[in-house]
Amino acid sequence: MKIKSGTFRVRAGSHVALKDWATKVKPIYADKEDYLALLQDHVTRMSELQQLLYACNRHALLVIFQAMDAAGKDGAIKHVMSGVNPQGCQVFSFKHPSGEELQHDFLWRAAIRFPERGHIGIFNRSYYEEVLILRVHPELLAAESVPGSHKGKDEIWDARYRSIRQLEDHLHRNGTQIVKIFLHLSKDEQRRRFLDRIDDPTKNWKFSMADIEERKYWKKYMHAYEKCMSATSTDDAPWYVVPADDKQNARLIVSQIVLDHLKDLKLEYPKSTPAHRRELLAIRKSLVKEG
């Protein structure tokens, strides 16, 4: 079955109501063997396009993953990017901001990690935490010492959305393609995965009481995501709502989305100049004589 990535794309200017977006859809794969074959095909093609991206050295690709806990961000990154050359890929996980980071504007710590030309950058969480976690917990704004932040009113979020759009527009004009993926997990499936982490000793390290505490704010987080994606999904930096209850299906959808955006860059290998070509032929002649 061909994956139509546009099905999961949030159109610019549209209002997002997550209740209208499925957390599980009909599987793209027939069985596990078929899933592995499809994923391998995607990974192989992605590797080829990454090599072309690196050789062209005119564009960069930034893939941002956002989701609730246990939605499968780490697994998606691990499996989808398994065939990518590590030299051309940079992965960053964003945790709680440090003291130094809190002394800068909310975009600073992400800006210094944007991928360079020819590279793929992966953000496991991102600057979007600043309009998600902080919207759910506005008391955290006080630590950022931003004028007016203690009020926690809608204008603060509107201003941050505007800053994000302007930043992403700037990056796009300068050659960085941004793809933003929200792994849409149901609350019931998160519960099942939490139980699995508790019951399996090898997964205990993945779980903490903080995860349960944040689960209590589920509705507020869904509201924050809806507002965020409605305000920041643009033609040049779109959001995708990927059904995440089926991890394997989600990985195939994510890999197709990334492939489609790499293909849209219409990359080409650099063409040799006549002077460079003459130089290469001279080198070739010299090497042939050695034999």
Side-chain angles (χ1 to χ4, degrees):
M1 181 188 300
K2 182 174 175 54
I3 304 170
K4 296 180 180 179
S5 60
T7 304
F8 309 100
R9 182 169 178 154
V10 176
R11 301 300 169 187
S14 64
H15 170 72
V16 177
L18 286 173
K19 64 180 178 60
D20 298 331
W21 293 78
T23 60
K24 190 171 185 177
V25 293
K26 183 179 179 180
I28 296 157
Y29 58 96
D31 50 34
K32 185 175 181 179
E33 184 177 345
D34 186 40
Y35 157 71
L36 291 173
L38 287 170
L39 183 62
Q40 184 57 51
D41 176 60
H42 286 188
V43 168
T44 299
R45 286 191 283 152
M46 195 178 304
S47 178
E48 293 169 353
L49 287 169
Q50 185 218 8
Q51 182 178 338
L52 187 53
L53 177 73
Y54 188 83
C56 182
N57 198 38
R58 295 180 64 84
H59 297 275
L61 177 69
L62 174 61
V63 185
I64 294 174
F65 285 89
Q66 293 286 161
M68 297 295 286
D69 292 323
K73 297 187 302 300
D74 292 343
I77 294 169
K78 176 182 176 181
H79 288 81
V80 172
M81 309 308 294
S82 61
V84 171
N85 187 335
Q87 289 184 319
C89 184
Q90 304 148 342
V91 181
F92 292 101
S93 295
F94 289 85
K95 308 296 184 182
H96 295 295
S98 67
E100 179 187 15
E101 290 167 344
L102 287 171
Q103 292 303 311
H104 293 269
D105 68 272
F106 78 97
L107 292 170
W108 179 81
R109 69 174 181 152
I112 60 176
R113 294 177 172 89
F114 288 139
E116 58 197 270
R117 289 188 183 91
H119 287 68
I120 296 175
I122 309 290
F123 282 4
N124 186 343
R125 301 189 186 277
S126 67
Y127 45 86
Y128 278 100
E129 296 291 279
E130 296 285 338
V131 293
L132 295 169
I133 289 180
L134 270 69
R135 184 159 190 152
V136 175
H137 300 287
E139 66 276 8
L140 297 176
L141 280 166
E144 297 188 353
S145 301
V146 177
S149 63
H150 62 283
K151 298 177 183 178
K153 293 183 178 179
D154 285 346
E155 55 262 30
I156 293 173
W157 313 121
D158 291 340
R160 290 197 167 191
Y161 297 147
R162 186 166 63 251
S163 294
I164 289 171
R165 289 195 303 268
Q166 290 170 346
L167 172 67
E168 292 178 345
D169 182 52
H170 165 77
L171 288 172
H172 184 267
R173 289 197 309 271
N174 285 274
T176 298
Q177 173 65 64
I178 303 172
V179 182
K180 300 172 294 195
I181 294 171
F182 172 60
L183 295 176
H184 190 23
L185 185 74
S186 68
K187 194 174 183 181
D188 284 344
E189 179 61 17
Q190 188 196 58
R191 173 181 171 274
R192 190 193 68 77
R193 293 182 187 180
F194 277 176
L195 289 171
D196 182 53
R197 290 181 177 184
I198 293 170
D199 295 340
D200 185 345
T202 67
K203 296 180 180 180
N204 286 175
W205 64 274
K206 292 184 176 183
F207 189 77
S208 72
M209 284 303 298
D211 298 330
I212 287 296
E213 286 301 313
E214 290 305 290
R215 181 176 163 83
K216 296 176 182 178
Y217 297 97
W218 187 275
K219 288 185 178 179
K220 288 188 176 182
Y221 272 110
M222 294 301 103
H223 175 72
Y225 272 109
E226 289 172 344
K227 290 290 187 180
C228 166
M229 290 189 284
S230 297
T232 62
S233 193
T234 65
D235 290 333
D236 295 329
W239 274 102
Y240 290 85
V241 180
V242 175
D245 282 5
D246 181 334
K247 290 181 180 180
Q248 295 176 332
N249 220 35
R251 291 165 189 166
L252 292 174
I253 294 169
V254 168
S255 57
Q256 186 64 61
I257 290 169
V258 175
L259 273 173
D260 288 346
H261 278 273
L262 281 170
K263 287 188 288 188
D264 285 346
L265 293 176
K266 302 188 186 308
L267 303 166
E268 294 181 348
Y269 282 106
K271 292 181 174 61
S272 294
T273 63
H276 186 220
R277 185 61 186 162
R278 287 193 298 271
E279 181 182 9
L280 291 175
L281 290 174
I283 294 172
R284 185 184 188 283
K285 186 177 180 180
S286 175
L287 289 170
V288 170
K289 280 184 178 180
E290 288 181 11

